[in-house]
Amino acid sequence: MTLILGLESSCDETAAALVTGDRHILAHQLAGQEAAHAPFGGVVPEIAARAHVEILAPLVEAALDEAGVTLSDVDAIAATAGPGLIGGVMVGLVTGKALALAGGKPLVAVNHLEGHALSPRLADPDLEFPYLLLLVSGGHCQLLLVEGVGRYRRLATTIDDAAGEAFDKTAKLLGLGYPGGPRVEAEAAKGDSRAVKLPRPLLGSSEPHFSFAGLKSAVLRARDAGIHRPEDIAASFQQAVVDCLQDRTRRAIGQASGAKALVVAGGVAANGAVRAMLESLADEAGM
């Protein structure tokens, strides 16, 4: 049985896991940094990197203990090698290199976006290639046809900002605190999604690309107008993002020949309104 120790430190969460070659997760340890970044309303790269330094070694030990193995039992070390916050990426990758060198193990440098593309196959053993992936996170917004390991066809990307970044900036504009995504979703649940007229950038365009910079600017103008309740702005913003993701993903489904499943990955996948829309869209497409 092949056994891999995986390390992740590309943003503000530190993780260590033991995964077998046949995609079974034997152990998974995760540490967040919400309290450290909350006073600043967003992730501070230097603080994130220092936190990774402090917690990664104990997390590795905890993962090994959870799986009931030692480092000598591990066949290879895998670590996120980018893209991401460079300080955090360096902590995880250098740690992986040190463990690999000390144990005489191979080092596997993992592309952050490829990790997003393939990790759903850890959660769902029945997920088969090819599938259409909506990768929607704080730093990335893409639609990919995942044809196999190392085989990806990018159908769309954001031409400016990511959806998750737009959620975080909206939370900051409305004074909702950090982390932004969950705070906006909670505020939106109290508001009217039709109360504020906000744009749907690129809606209906022939290529399924994304754009969220103009939407953020519209949220700022709505806030400064002083006539809208924060919960109504949050609800209207969230609905605008949902509408854009729906329109762009529906367009990509028409280009993803052979894909039998629609998969979503990234932090924004936790948003209930986004998930409900994608489930409906998948049903509509027979996926």
Side-chain angles (χ1 to χ4, degrees):
M1 179 182 69
T2 305
L3 185 62
I4 310 294
L5 170 63
L7 310 177
E8 151 62 14
S9 59
S10 62
C11 192
D12 63 332
E13 289 185 326
T14 319
L18 273 302
V19 183
T20 67
D22 56 356
R23 292 184 281 140
H24 284 89
I25 302 172
L26 300 186
H28 176 217
Q29 295 289 326
L30 178 69
Q33 304 174 9
E34 287 187 11
H37 299 289
F40 306 96
V43 177
V44 181
E46 177 64 19
I47 292 176
R50 290 178 181 272
H52 290 310
V53 170
E54 293 172 0
I55 196 61
L56 188 51
L59 275 188
V60 170
E61 293 179 356
L64 292 169
D65 288 344
E66 182 185 346
V69 300
T70 66
L71 191 59
S72 62
D73 298 317
V74 173
D75 296 296
I77 313 293
T80 304
L85 299 180
I86 186 61
V89 169
M90 287 176 62
V91 172
L93 187 57
V94 170
T95 300
K97 287 181 177 181
L99 292 173
L101 181 63
K105 314 289 185 181
L107 175 73
V108 181
V110 179
N111 180 284
H112 181 181
L113 304 188
E114 186 172 26
H116 275 305
L118 297 176
S119 60
R121 281 170 47 84
L122 295 176
D124 182 0
D126 297 324
L127 179 61
E128 297 181 354
F129 301 119
Y131 53 85
L132 177 63
L133 172 74
L134 171 63
L135 169 52
V136 57
S137 67
H140 305 279
C141 193
Q142 297 184 349
L143 282 157
L144 304 169
L145 181 60
V146 182
E147 299 174 323
V149 177
R151 296 171 53 210
Y152 315 99
R153 184 154 62 93
R154 193 179 73 179
L155 303 177
T157 188
T158 177
I159 63 174
D160 42 54
D161 301 323
E165 196 272 343
F167 268 97
D168 290 340
K169 185 60 65 66
T170 294
K172 197 165 188 176
L173 289 172
L174 298 180
L176 301 179
Y178 174 83
R183 301 293 178 88
V184 170
E185 184 176 9
E187 190 76 2
K190 301 180 289 185
D192 180 358
S193 63
R194 299 164 297 178
V196 185
K197 294 188 182 302
L198 295 176
R200 270 69 170 163
L202 297 182
L203 200 75
S205 62
S206 59
E207 293 184 340
H209 294 308
F210 301 93
S211 172
F212 295 102
L215 178 57
K216 291 191 303 180
S217 299
V219 169
L220 173 62
R221 290 192 294 271
R223 184 204 66 178
D224 290 347
I227 59 175
H228 302 293
R229 301 186 306 162
E231 55 266 40
D232 289 339
I233 297 177
S236 299
F237 162 79
Q238 179 174 268
Q239 188 59 53
V241 173
V242 167
D243 291 347
C244 290
L245 293 177
Q246 181 183 47
D247 179 74
R248 308 288 75 210
T249 304
R250 180 182 282 119
R251 178 77 61 175
I253 288 173
Q255 302 177 9
S257 59
K260 295 181 174 59
L262 172 61
V263 177
V264 60
V268 181
N271 181 280
V274 171
R275 293 172 68 91
M277 175 274 293
L278 291 173
E279 288 172 1
S280 176
L281 189 59
D283 288 342
E284 171 190 310
M287 301 175 76

